[in-house]
Amino acid sequence: MQEKLENYIEELSLFDDIMDKYEYIIDLGKRAPSLRENEKIDEYKIQGCQSSVWIIKELREGKLYFKTDSDTVIVRGLARILGDIFAAHLPQEILNFDTKELEKLGLQEIISPVRLNGFTSMINKIYQYAKDENRG
Amino acid sequence: MQSEMIRDDFAFFNHSDLVYLDSASTTQKPKSVLEAMDAYNTQYCANIHRSSHGLGNAATSKYETAREIIGKFLHVGDKSEIIFTKGVTEGINLVAQSYAKEHASCVIISALEHHSNILPWQQIKKPLHVIQTKENLTPDLEHFESLLAQNPNALVALIHTSNAFGITHPIKEMIALAHRYGAKVLIDAAQSASHMPINISDLDADFLVISGHKLYGPTGIGALYIKKDLHPLCNPYQVGGGAIMQVFYDHTEYLPIPYMYESGTPNIAGAIGFGAAIEYLQSVGYAYIAKHEQNIIAYALEQLSQIEDILFYTQVASMQSNISFNISNIHHHDLGILLDKQKVQVRVGHHCVQPTMRFLGIDGTVRVSVGIYTNKADIDQFIKALKRSIAMLKG
Ligand SMILES: Cc1ncc(COP(=O)(O)O)c(C=O)c1O
């Protein structure tokens, strides 16, 4: 997680112009695979975001992977980054990770903090999945 | 140029390099409003209608003067017809609880209503009838008439100018039609009052609501007009000190309206600031406002219309004071984020009209709204930012 996070932090830090940073996230969003329509159900939906965001977990050999999607391309890119950072880790590893570290990405502000912060909600969803798996 | 002088009246534009195109949500406040509120807080701060010392009298007199200013602004016959509220939302709730609950059989609304003009009627469990729209979201007046004919003693509650789509209802005609069937009419003038003169005597509305913060005044203050003839039918709402003539343990004799509805210490500074805002608006004058804003809107529409894949939901010519649109295959939230990053403040989302959005099969739009201080440079910067956003999001 730390390594991937640092890669993203480094890539994002290359952009002097904030619009270039968004261009990068939009590009990730456009290239990210979409969920099927029948996967976009409430169970996978993040509550508290202004736009719709879904995160689905997959368990392979004890490790968690995440499929993500959103109806807005920027949030899609953002969800993709988070899904990628946490992918291929044991639930306990995810739970041990200090989420404060993610603030270094400087992306919290992307999902407007109207009422509930969507960025935090996405991370919470990933944590919830890790907790569920850990419990068995 | 007058427009630059007006802009100078708003401290916001001295401090900020943002392009503010969200005046339909709330307007910026001119210095004269801030000064009037400051004067109350620093020079004659006292409670009103209670303290009979000189300071209290000074505060009461300013507060009552604000009521008079607002009464004249709306062309009402008697200043007791003006009740200070927190804003449009509270005004509609007040009418629902104090009048409609007992005296209306049902409520007829348009298909463009703000949630604030839907929820209060649900609270009093009145049947809601929605006037169908024709193409371009204009009301189907024949359907309206059939609803009136089928529902005696209805209350009709209509938005004047739509906050989400900028179109203005023909309310004078609709009020006259409703009256022919014996219905009473409430007008939500939240969006219209800052852009066009409202003449209640001429319109013959029974109830009308406005919010100070959309009229260059402070937040947390508004006004409700209730026609004098209806005062005897209106019941107490939120009760307490300041609203009474005599209190006994088993009953209370209330003061007449408006005081019956202004229990508790009101937003005194807000009311005084509201009065100052109306004086400011009048000093600029609607002749200038209408001409200036129509120019700006036309300028924006001319450029927006040239953008590929732009979607409007009503006739371009009927949009006043705000413009709502989407770009096909682009989500309005993505546009909102990128416009914001380019310093352009617009509103994206459902604009508190979810049923209307559902009817249109969308979940929101981008809305650009203007005020007396908006200039062409704002529009240029917005269009430039919009084009860049679209280029980034397309494909
Ligand atoms: C048409 C309309 N009605 C009602 C309201 C609610 O006004 P307030 O929030 O001032 O009570 C608004 C404000 O957004 C509005 O635009």
Side-chain angles (χ1 to χ4, degrees), chain A residues 19 22 30 71 73-74, chain B residues 331 334 341 388 392 394:
Chain A
M19 294 306 279
Y22 278 84
K30 282 180 186 164
D71 55 354
V73 71
I74 295 174
Chain B
H331 199 284
D334 283 326
K341 295 300 164 240
R388 181 166 182 198
M392 285 170 71
K394 271 263 150 102

Side-chain angles (χ1 to χ4, degrees), chain B residues 24-26 86-92 112-117 159-164 188-192 209-214 220-222 347 351-353 367:
Chain B
S25 286
T26 200
K86 282 194 288 189
V88 164
T89 304
E90 189 185 41
I92 298 175
L112 298 177
E113 297 308 323
H114 189 280
H115 295 162
S116 289
N117 195 21
I159 196 165
H160 189 188
T161 298
S162 162
N163 61 304
D188 171 357
Q191 290 297 332
S192 53
V209 280
I210 54 177
S211 283
H213 72 98
K214 295 187 198 281
I221 188 81
R347 174 117 166 233
H351 316 308
C352 297
V353 296
R367 181 189 71 185

